[in-house]
């Protein structure tokens, strides 16, 4: 039945059916065909995971990000990043990376980050003489830092399917996220120096930097606010996400004073639509998981892997290759929900820490967001820059090199995630 499910899913994806519907149809047919589950029970399986209390953190974090970034805060973040690194070689590219890192601590979504920052920064870089393809490449790649910096939506999903601590995953994702940011900034610096990109000549004063830092402080403090509350046990992840919405409302009303009914409405609509897409995939993945569990696929794959690839580092290499290939064709949430249980079983068989595996998945699958043929941030950035996808991909090779380097370090050196 698993083979039939995969075949039906492949055909539906080839027909360009949305992932959520393709999963429900293929898994539903397999579940009913097995004969151990009536159709009514299959429907219950679909709705069961949507009643999870921890998953409420997803819409709340999305809402807090929409509330904070929908006003003047986004412009203040860009101004802060510009004063910080804009005067260096490749400065505007570095502004994109710094902005993405800070924005990731507010939104938790790479797609939202690519759309919001790309619409501001890509046209600006082009006006300053930067190649449009390079500007798009910097945006598409750096947007994925949001997959690691708290409050990362992918890490929340992984915690749900692997029964791991969200707080531990958030903490483990900070260093790899900063490593990616540092590597991408080096790429931008070297590109600007070797290719002669224009440098900003505006005078930068200590007073101006301090003023910009103070203006961006509410966003800069969001990741620390989340991690401290979680690590100290003051609040659960869901409670922290609700507090983040309250925090966003207070910042918009009292600090920036730009909150309007229209912004609240837009934030609620955006959150509802995005949450609906994610929850559809979560619901469908539960039915897929049932089919796999009935046929003991995760256990069989874990045993075969442990017996065939007896060296742990070979197993880790295989896991990375699987995730890289899947990430190129499947959206990140769906890939985490589908691969999570099976890869967790394989990791357990070789003694791989599940927290380390979660960060490996986040880095691996986020690379698929700026890799053809289905790279979401890649296509968003290319559309904003009005450049061909092929031209953007050619500018991405040094960013891929950085991402692979970070992936190798976190895969084979546990100290980078288990600190």
């Amino acid at each position: 039945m698993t083979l039939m499910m995969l075949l039906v899913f492949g055909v539906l994806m080839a027909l360009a059916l949305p992932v959520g519907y393709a999963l429900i149809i293929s898994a539903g047919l397999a579940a009913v065909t097995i004969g151990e589950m009536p159709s009514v029970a299959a429907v219950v399986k679909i709705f069961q995971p949507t009643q999870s209390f921890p998953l409420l953190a997803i819409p709340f974090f999305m809402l807090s990000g929409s509330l904070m970034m929908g006003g003047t805060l986004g412009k203040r973040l860009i101004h802060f990043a510009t004063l910080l690194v804009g005067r260096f070689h490749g400065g505007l590219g570095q502004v994109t990376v710094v902005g993405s890192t800070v924005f990731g601590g507010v939104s938790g979504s790479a797609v939202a980050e690519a759309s919001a920052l790309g619409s501001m920064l890509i046209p600006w870089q082009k006006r300053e003489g930067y190649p449009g393809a390079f500007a798009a490449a910097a945006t598409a790649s750096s947007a994925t830092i949001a997959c690691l910096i708290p409050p990362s939506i992918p890490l929340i999903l992984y915690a749900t399917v692997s029964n791991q601590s969200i707080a531990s995953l958030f903490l483990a994702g900070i260093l790899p996220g900063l490593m990616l940011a540092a590597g991408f900034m080096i790429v931008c610096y070297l590109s600007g120096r070797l290719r002669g990109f224009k440098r900003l000549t505006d005078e930068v004063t200590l007073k101006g930097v301090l003023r910009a830092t103070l203006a961006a402080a509410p966003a800069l403090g969001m990741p620390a606010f989340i991690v401290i509350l979680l690590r100290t046990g003051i609040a659960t992840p869901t409670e922290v996400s609700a507090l983040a919405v309250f925090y966003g409302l207070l910042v918009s009303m009292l600090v920036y004073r730009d909150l309007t009914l229209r912004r609240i409405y837009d934030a609620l609509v955006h959150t509802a639509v995005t949450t609906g897409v994610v929850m559809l995939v979560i619901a469908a993945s539960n039915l897929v998981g049932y089919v796999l569990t009935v046929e003991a696929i995760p256990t069989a794959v874990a045993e075969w892997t442990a017996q065939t690839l007896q060296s742990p580092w070979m197993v880790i290499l295989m896991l990375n290759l699987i995730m890289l290939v899947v990430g190129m064709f499947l959206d990140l949430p769906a890939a985490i929900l589908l691969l999570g249980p099976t890869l967790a079983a394989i990791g357990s068989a070789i003694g791989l820490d599940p927290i380390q595996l979660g960060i490996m998945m986040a880095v691996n699958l986020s690379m698929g967001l700026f890799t053809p043929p289905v790279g979401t941030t890649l296509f968003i950035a290319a559309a904003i820059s009005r450049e061909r996808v092929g031209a953007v991909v050619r500018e991405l090779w040094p960013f891929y090199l950085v991402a692979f380097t970070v992936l190798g370090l976190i895969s084979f050196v546990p100290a980078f995630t288990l600190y």
Side-chain angles (χ1 to χ4, degrees):
M1 291 303 104
T2 299
L3 181 59
M4 183 193 77
M5 179 177 67
L6 292 175
L7 290 174
V8 173
F9 176 73
V11 171
L12 295 177
M13 288 298 294
L15 296 175
L17 197 70
V19 174
Y21 297 128
L23 288 172
I24 288 177
I25 293 173
S26 58
L29 288 174
V32 173
T33 306
I34 288 174
E36 297 184 14
M37 173 183 282
S39 56
V40 175
V43 174
V44 173
K45 280 286 181 184
I46 292 174
F47 284 98
Q48 188 178 35
T50 63
Q51 310 306 306
S52 170
F53 183 72
L55 287 181
L56 284 173
I58 293 177
F60 278 127
F61 277 131
M62 287 181 177
L63 180 56
S64 68
S66 296
L67 287 171
M68 292 184 67
M69 299 308 298
T72 62
L73 179 58
K75 296 178 181 178
R76 293 177 186 268
L77 284 178
I78 300 306
H79 179 59
F80 163 77
T82 303
L83 288 180
L84 203 63
V85 297
R87 64 189 182 279
F88 300 119
H89 288 287
L92 297 189
Q94 295 189 58
V95 168
T96 299
V97 178
V98 173
S100 295
T101 305
V102 179
F103 197 141
V106 177
S107 69
S109 168
V111 175
E113 193 168 311
S115 302
L117 287 184
S119 61
M120 290 188 287
L121 295 181
I122 292 176
W124 180 29
Q125 292 183 64
K126 292 179 68 175
R127 286 195 300 269
E128 294 294 332
Y130 280 62
F134 176 83
T139 300
S141 56
S142 62
T144 59
I145 296 173
C147 297
L148 293 166
I149 300 293
S152 164
I153 302 303
L155 292 183
I156 295 176
L157 293 175
Y158 175 79
T160 302
V161 299
S162 63
N163 295 318
Q164 297 302 311
S165 165
I166 294 178
S168 297
L169 285 164
F170 278 180
L171 188 63
I174 294 175
L175 181 56
L178 295 178
M179 290 165 61
L180 281 177
F184 291 158
M185 290 179 70
I186 292 173
V187 169
C188 292
Y189 175 85
L190 293 177
S191 297
R193 188 180 183 90
L194 296 174
R195 300 167 67 177
F197 293 164
K198 180 179 177 181
R199 297 169 61 182
L200 296 182
T201 57
D202 296 342
E203 183 180 354
V204 178
T205 63
L206 178 60
K207 184 178 180 180
V209 172
L210 291 176
R211 185 179 300 158
T213 303
L214 184 62
L220 298 174
M222 176 69 93
F225 167 78
I226 292 170
V227 172
I228 290 172
L229 289 180
L230 289 175
R231 293 299 293 180
T232 56
I234 295 175
T236 66
T238 305
E239 292 167 346
V240 171
S241 65
L243 289 173
V245 174
F246 183 65
Y247 178 86
L249 287 171
L250 284 181
V251 167
S252 298
M253 286 190 297
L254 303 180
V255 179
Y256 299 115
R257 299 181 180 181
D258 60 354
L259 187 66
T260 63
L261 290 176
R262 180 66 189 182
R263 273 191 56 205
I264 295 175
Y265 173 79
D266 290 342
L268 288 171
V269 170
H270 176 266
T271 300
V273 172
T274 308
T275 302
V277 173
V278 174
M279 293 306 292
L280 178 63
V281 175
I282 292 173
S285 299
N286 192 54
L287 191 56
V288 173
Y290 168 80
V291 175
L292 296 177
T293 303
V294 167
E295 299 196 333
I297 298 299
T299 303
V301 171
E303 291 177 352
W304 178 86
T305 302
Q307 293 172 2
T308 306
L309 303 175
Q310 298 182 2
S311 173
W313 74 268
M314 283 294 295
V315 175
I316 292 175
L317 183 60
M318 185 200 72
L319 294 180
N320 280 321
L321 290 174
I322 291 173
M323 289 185 281
L324 284 170
V325 172
V326 171
M328 291 172 60
F329 296 94
L330 205 58
D331 284 341
L332 195 151
I336 286 180
L337 293 167
L338 292 176
L339 292 178
T342 301
L343 298 193
I346 296 174
S348 177
I350 63 169
L352 181 64
D353 191 283
I355 298 297
Q356 183 182 358
L357 175 61
I359 305 303
M360 287 169 53
M361 289 193 72
V363 174
N364 248 305
L365 298 175
S366 66
M367 289 175 64
L369 293 175
F370 60 98
T371 303
V374 194
T376 309
T377 63
L378 169 61
F379 282 98
I380 290 174
I384 294 173
S385 66
R386 298 182 181 179
E387 298 283 346
R388 292 181 296 105
V389 171
V392 179
V393 172
R394 283 193 293 273
E395 294 281 1
L396 275 169
W397 72 263
F399 295 96
Y400 289 133
L401 181 61
V402 168
F404 276 118
T405 301
V406 173
L407 177 60
L409 289 174
I410 65 174
S411 297
F412 297 103
V413 185
F416 284 107
T417 52
L418 306 178
Y419 43 82

